Amino acid sequence: MAATPGPLDRVRTLPSLTGLRWATAMLIFGHHLMAVNYFGGTAGVAWGVLFEAGKTGVTLFFILSGFVLAWGYKPHQTARSFWWHRVARIYPLHLVGVALALVAAATLVPEIRTDGAAPLVANVFLVNGWVPDWWQAGNAASWSLVCEAFFYLGFPFLIRPLVRASNRVLTAVVVASLVLVALAPQIAAFAPGVLSSASTPLLRLPEFVLGMTLALMLKRGEWMPLRLSIALPLAVAGYALSEAPMLPGTDIHLGMAGTVGCYALLVASLANADARGRSTFLARPLWQELGRVSFAFYLVHLLVIASVSSAWPDGHPELPWRQAVPLALAAFAIALAIAWVIHKLVEIPAQRWLLRFDPDRARHRGRRMDAASPAPRRT
């Protein structure tokens, strides 16, 4: 560990983390190509080895979300304003994703059709993940938004004590978060049918809290993360660790705790590089644009993968690599095109319009009008 060079309170933007979002989306895209069996034979086995752990891209998203929100925390912002900003950020595209899922289910991919109105309504309001049987209702990819919605709800209440906590307490929170990650499957096993370690928001919360905590520690300058040359190989090792077996005779997943810890170190190292003026290739303009589109891409990519493969029996092409690669590239191109369109035509304008109704903005405007009003005459 190097000596800490001081706090980073004035650093606002961390472009490498925006670029990392795109790299993370690619892990998830690769995993879903594997799940739908685009590749068959030896190529399918090799693809599975590479991307079985790609589902941990969602873990990285959760850590990133906590880190970025804590890094940009504004003490003067009210909880209502924070929640409204989060609604403006995710809800317009979420509704588009649900609509596209309904169209896909009614046409090319009937197997993703949601049974009943209740789970679909629950998905619209981002609460379906609390019922394990409904976790992929509506737009299957939006299960992670259910977790994010819960994280956002709790953020104003979590951030205040963390900001005031000592570095020793924050270190304890980091350790506790990793312990809870390891214990999550065991906790879920004691509550069968009620909790899922994969999709229940409460059991994914430690990943988000870990990101928040490391952001605060780094901003204070009381902790220096590992050099990127060390953090990146550790993240690759953490990717592999997610496939490690449970502890014998238990549902305790130490490998997943290792994955989360290694991913968190990578996020902190990239943020530190940006904050110290040593931005990485992830901060380059192309990666920034792709990172900004990554949310839209994430919401539509599985629908596109399943729609493109729907012409094959059971929707599983299982093709030799010479045929599977062009098919995968076609799915990628279509998903990226749709994502770019809805990012530009829905996400950006809808967010700007909704933020006009930010409660804090209205409150400040009212104060300015009161200050500008003439004082009443004395009689």
Side-chain angles (χ1 to χ4, degrees):
M1 291 283 185
T4 54
L8 301 168
D9 292 333
R10 296 185 180 182
V11 178
R12 304 302 301 172
T13 60
L14 301 171
S16 292
L17 298 191
T18 300
L20 183 62
R21 289 185 179 277
W22 179 251
T24 303
M26 289 299 94
L27 288 180
I28 300 170
F29 180 79
H31 175 75
H32 284 140
L33 287 179
M34 181 209 72
V36 181
N37 298 120
Y38 268 47
F39 293 82
T42 304
V45 173
W47 196 266
V49 170
L50 287 173
F51 288 105
E52 176 64 39
K55 58 184 176 290
T56 62
V58 177
T59 296
L60 188 47
F61 272 137
F62 291 162
I63 297 168
L64 269 168
S65 181
F67 193 100
V68 170
L69 289 177
W71 189 273
Y73 170 61
K74 302 171 183 176
H76 60 275
Q77 185 179 32
T78 64
R80 285 196 309 159
S81 174
F82 171 81
W83 291 326
W84 187 250
H85 276 250
R86 294 295 90 201
V87 167
R89 173 73 178 88
I90 69 170
Y91 219 82
L93 278 193
H94 165 57
L95 293 179
V96 170
V98 173
L100 291 176
L102 292 176
V103 172
T107 55
L108 296 173
V109 200
E111 60 268 22
I112 69 168
R113 186 174 298 143
T114 299
D115 294 328
L120 180 61
V121 172
N123 179 236
V124 169
F125 287 99
L126 293 176
V127 293
N128 55 297
W130 292 97
V131 181
D133 290 342
W134 294 357
W135 77 288
Q136 287 194 308
N139 182 9
S142 64
W143 72 265
S144 66
L145 294 188
V146 179
C147 295
E148 290 280 7
F150 177 66
F151 303 160
Y152 298 157
L153 185 64
F155 179 82
F157 307 105
L158 293 169
I159 190 66
R160 292 186 177 93
L162 288 176
V163 167
R164 295 193 297 266
S166 67
N167 204 48
R168 181 175 297 179
V169 171
L170 293 181
T171 301
V173 171
V174 168
V175 173
S177 297
L178 293 175
V179 170
L180 287 172
V181 167
L183 292 178
Q186 187 72 69
I187 295 170
F190 281 121
V194 178
L195 300 178
S196 164
S197 62
S199 59
T200 301
L202 187 62
L203 294 182
R204 302 304 296 262
L205 181 62
E207 300 158 37
F208 179 80
V209 171
L210 178 62
M212 291 175 60
T213 307
L214 290 186
L216 295 175
M217 293 173 71
L218 181 60
K219 281 195 78 172
R220 290 180 182 180
E222 297 178 355
W223 170 70
M224 174 66 84
L226 297 172
R227 293 194 304 272
L228 194 54
S229 59
I230 299 174
L232 184 56
L234 278 178
V236 174
Y239 180 80
L241 278 173
S242 68
E243 296 303 303
M246 306 281 188
L247 282 182
T250 74
D251 287 308
I252 298 173
H253 201 336
L254 292 180
M256 195 62 206
T259 300
V260 171
C262 291
Y263 282 0
L265 287 174
L266 175 63
V267 170
S269 295
L270 286 168
N272 187 59
D274 281 345
R276 309 292 176 191
R278 301 189 299 270
S279 293
T280 69
F281 73 95
L282 293 172
R284 294 173 183 169
L286 176 60
W287 283 86
Q288 293 299 288
E289 183 62 23
L290 291 171
R292 286 188 284 268
V293 175
S294 62
F295 177 47
F297 182 87
Y298 171 76
L299 288 180
V300 304
H301 80 280
L302 184 53
L303 296 174
V304 172
I305 287 174
S307 296
V308 169
S309 66
S310 63
W312 280 265
D314 300 321
H316 300 299
E318 298 186 6
L319 298 172
W321 73 270
R322 292 181 185 276
Q323 297 172 330
V325 167
L327 189 69
L329 289 175
F332 172 79
I334 294 170
L336 182 58
I338 294 173
W340 189 87
V341 169
I342 62 176
H343 169 67
K344 296 294 185 181
L345 299 185
V346 177
E347 182 178 6
I348 293 175
Q351 185 174 2
R352 287 174 177 168
W353 182 76
L354 286 169
L355 289 181
R356 293 168 58 190
F357 305 98
D358 175 7
D360 280 6
R361 181 178 177 181
R363 182 162 54 92
H364 293 323
R365 185 167 56 245
R367 286 179 178 176
R368 287 195 300 270
M369 291 177 64
D370 290 343
S373 299
R377 292 183 180 180
R378 293 183 180 180
T379 57

